[in-house]
Amino acid sequence: MDAEEARQVDATLRLLGIPGIVAPEDPDNAAGVWRVYDSPVPSTRKDTTADILAAVVAQFREAGPEPLRRADGGPTRGSIIPPNGN
């Protein structure tokens, strides 16, 4: 994830009460890839991104196991493929 996505992940973790430190992989390169760690100390931290993302998904599944629906009843995802003229 990039810095903007990291900001959003950090806000979501705080909102859900899930512990984690969102920081760049390379502490000297804030424009690089970001991850979620168990500690702010670069020399001892462990990458917990996969575990944290699974915890976020679990929180949302508990809140409502059904997929989100649009208020107007339309499709929530998919593609419309126009006819090819045949």
Side-chain angles (χ1 to χ4, degrees), residues 7-80:
R7 186 191 63 74
Q8 294 172 6
V9 167
D10 186 54
T12 301
L13 295 180
R14 291 178 192 276
L15 181 67
L16 297 174
I18 298 173
I21 306 297
V22 183
E25 266 185 344
D26 178 357
D28 297 326
N29 182 11
V33 176
W34 289 58
R35 302 237 182 252
V36 182
Y37 298 100
D38 63 345
S39 165
V41 181
S43 62
T44 61
R45 67 186 181 190
K46 176 184 166 203
D47 182 356
T48 59
T49 304
D51 295 334
I52 294 301
L53 294 179
V56 169
V57 169
Q59 289 261 353
F60 283 106
R61 280 200 181 127
E62 287 175 15
E66 295 297 316
L68 297 176
R69 304 258 182 235
R70 284 181 31 177
D72 65 2
T76 56
R77 60 182 160 158
S79 301
I80 298 175

